Amino acid sequence: MGLVTGTCLAELGNSVYCVDKDETKLHLLLQGKSPIHEPGLESLLTKNIKAGRLHFTADLSSAVEKSQIIFIAVGTPQSESGEADISNVVAVAKAIGNAVLEKPQPGYKVIVNKSTVPIGMGKMVEDILLKLGVANKTFGVVSNPEFLREGSAVSDFLKPDRIVLGSADPEALEVVSSLYEPLYRIEVPILKTDLETAELIKYASNAFLATKISFINEMACLCDLVGADVHQVAKGMGTDHRIGKYFLHPGPGYGGSCFPKDTQALIHIAKTVGYNLKIVKAVEDVNYAQKRVV
């Protein structure tokens, strides 16, 4: 997600500094080679490196100094309790704050949470910088969740369904909104909200897509019992524009790096505020049982 975001923002004409502490990845990237396989990514990498718009470094301090907008794009893996592990986000936020203090400059910086984070993380990032001593008028925090699919991430970034930006700071929203102006020109809707709403949009979207998968798998089990064809049922449902054909494919259930951890994280978030997410829990139960059915 971080590499695709950085490369595509360079493709839109920006000067981008991608920071990573993994020396093996950096060695590949500096040669114009991608450490992951995404259709179209490596050609964009090479093109933008040659154009002088895309840079790779392990020096976070230097990258922060040169940048007005700083994206946090690190993993938030599932912890044993089911909640998202935010330690990477916290560590990077602290590193950004220290970098700002190390080389103070005039001007305004925007820290953007691109990672999938629990509700309240944006405010936490803001508090981290304030506690370190970064002046509150010199920076803003924005939540900008990603909706990229593995295997079509470049296309998804350059031709998104929508762009979600959340912040309590109008100036920060304006700065990041201007970054996406080339996409806005091709009529991509930009939804501006508060931090918490933007953070929840990501979890709610993934939970709903997971719901469609578990729903059609329950229908598949029922079809087996009554002699119906689940593929025709899915086709019949999918032609209804209110439902749509996507994510109505019966099979072993959902997996991968996002849906399992994001549905579990959403259940945990609800639990912390005393609410029982019955539907999302049922989605999880169906998904677990489906593996045994297959």
Side-chain angles (χ1 to χ4, degrees), residues 196-234:
E196 293 79 7
T197 301
E199 290 164 345
L200 187 51
I201 285 171
K202 169 65 176 181
Y203 278 118
S205 297
N206 276 4
F208 188 76
L209 293 173
T211 300
K212 291 184 75 174
I213 293 169
S214 284
F215 180 86
I216 200 61
N217 278 333
E218 275 210 315
M219 292 301 104
C221 292
L222 181 59
C223 284
D224 285 345
L225 295 171
V226 300
D229 183 341
V230 69
H231 299 288
Q232 292 298 317
V233 170

Side-chain angles (χ1 to χ4, degrees), residues 59-135:
D59 186 352
L60 184 140
S61 180
S62 174
V64 168
E65 181 186 6
K66 295 172 183 174
S67 304
Q68 182 190 16
I69 305 171
I70 303 149
F71 283 84
I72 298 176
V74 293
T76 52
Q78 186 176 351
S79 65
E80 289 184 10
S81 64
E83 64 185 314
D85 181 349
I86 59 171
S87 57
N88 292 329
V89 179
V90 170
V92 172
K94 288 179 179 177
I96 291 169
N98 287 325
V100 170
L101 292 170
E102 180 186 338
K103 298 177 180 178
Q105 294 176 305
Y108 181 81
K109 292 187 183 293
V110 181
I111 292 87
V112 182
N113 255 335
K114 197 71 176 166
S115 302
T116 302
V117 293
I119 291 83
M121 191 71 232
K123 187 68 174 65
M124 188 183 295
V125 168
E126 184 180 330
D127 289 343
I128 287 170
L129 269 71
L130 290 173
K131 286 177 182 176
L132 286 171
V134 182

Side-chain angles (χ1 to χ4, degrees), residues 119 141-145 164-169 173 191-201:
I119 291 83
V141 176
V142 171
S143 173
N144 175 212
V164 177
L165 303 175
S167 183
D169 187 334
L173 281 175
L191 176 62
K192 297 179 182 178
T193 72
D194 54 66
L195 274 167
E196 293 79 7
T197 301
E199 290 164 345
L200 187 51
I201 285 171

Side-chain angles (χ1 to χ4, degrees), residues 10-282:
E11 177 67 10
L12 295 181
N14 302 285
S15 181
V16 179
Y17 297 86
C18 293
V19 180
D20 203 302
K21 61 183 180 180
D22 187 321
E23 291 185 7
T24 304
K25 284 183 184 177
L26 284 174
H27 180 70
L28 283 172
L29 290 164
L30 288 167
Q31 297 178 69
K33 297 177 181 177
S34 174
I36 59 169
H37 175 67
E38 276 293 336
L41 180 58
E42 199 157 284
S43 62
L44 287 185
L45 264 176
T46 306
K47 173 186 174 183
N48 285 283
I49 290 171
K50 286 182 178 177
R53 291 188 294 264
L54 187 58
H55 315 270
F56 297 96
T57 180
D59 186 352
L60 184 140
S61 180
S62 174
V64 168
E65 181 186 6
K66 295 172 183 174
S67 304
Q68 182 190 16
I69 305 171
I70 303 149
F71 283 84
I72 298 176
V74 293
T76 52
Q78 186 176 351
S79 65
E80 289 184 10
S81 64
E83 64 185 314
D85 181 349
I86 59 171
S87 57
N88 292 329
V89 179
V90 170
V92 172
K94 288 179 179 177
I96 291 169
N98 287 325
V100 170
L101 292 170
E102 180 186 338
K103 298 177 180 178
Q105 294 176 305
Y108 181 81
K109 292 187 183 293
V110 181
I111 292 87
V112 182
N113 255 335
K114 197 71 176 166
S115 302
T116 302
V117 293
I119 291 83
M121 191 71 232
K123 187 68 174 65
M124 188 183 295
V125 168
E126 184 180 330
D127 289 343
I128 287 170
L129 269 71
L130 290 173
K131 286 177 182 176
L132 286 171
V134 182
N136 63 350
K137 292 184 179 180
T138 62
F139 76 95
V141 176
V142 171
S143 173
N144 175 212
E146 56 86 16
F147 302 99
L148 307 180
R149 297 168 295 172
E150 289 184 28
S152 61
V154 171
S155 175
D156 288 346
F157 187 97
L158 295 173
K159 298 176 182 177
D161 293 326
R162 77 290 204 197
I163 295 165
V164 177
L165 303 175
S167 183
D169 187 334
E171 185 177 357
L173 281 175
E174 189 58 36
V175 168
V176 182
S177 182
S178 67
L179 186 67
Y180 288 111
E181 189 178 345
L183 300 182
Y184 183 70
R185 287 198 210 113
I186 58 170
E187 298 184 351
V188 174
I190 296 180
L191 176 62
K192 297 179 182 178
T193 72
D194 54 66
L195 274 167
E196 293 79 7
T197 301
E199 290 164 345
L200 187 51
I201 285 171
K202 169 65 176 181
Y203 278 118
S205 297
N206 276 4
F208 188 76
L209 293 173
T211 300
K212 291 184 75 174
I213 293 169
S214 284
F215 180 86
I216 200 61
N217 278 333
E218 275 210 315
M219 292 301 104
C221 292
L222 181 59
C223 284
D224 285 345
L225 295 171
V226 300
D229 183 341
V230 69
H231 299 288
Q232 292 298 317
V233 170
K235 186 175 181 179
M237 289 175 62
T239 52
D240 188 325
H241 294 298
R242 297 167 301 173
I243 297 171
K245 62 183 179 179
Y246 300 106
F247 291 83
L248 287 178
H249 304 291
Y254 56 81
S257 60
C258 293
F259 286 4
K261 77 178 184 68
D262 289 351
T263 49
Q264 283 286 332
L266 190 58
I267 290 167
H268 187 275
I269 289 164
K271 188 177 178 181
T272 60
V273 292
Y275 189 74
N276 182 16
L277 279 180
K278 294 178 183 177
I279 291 177
V280 184
K281 277 186 177 179

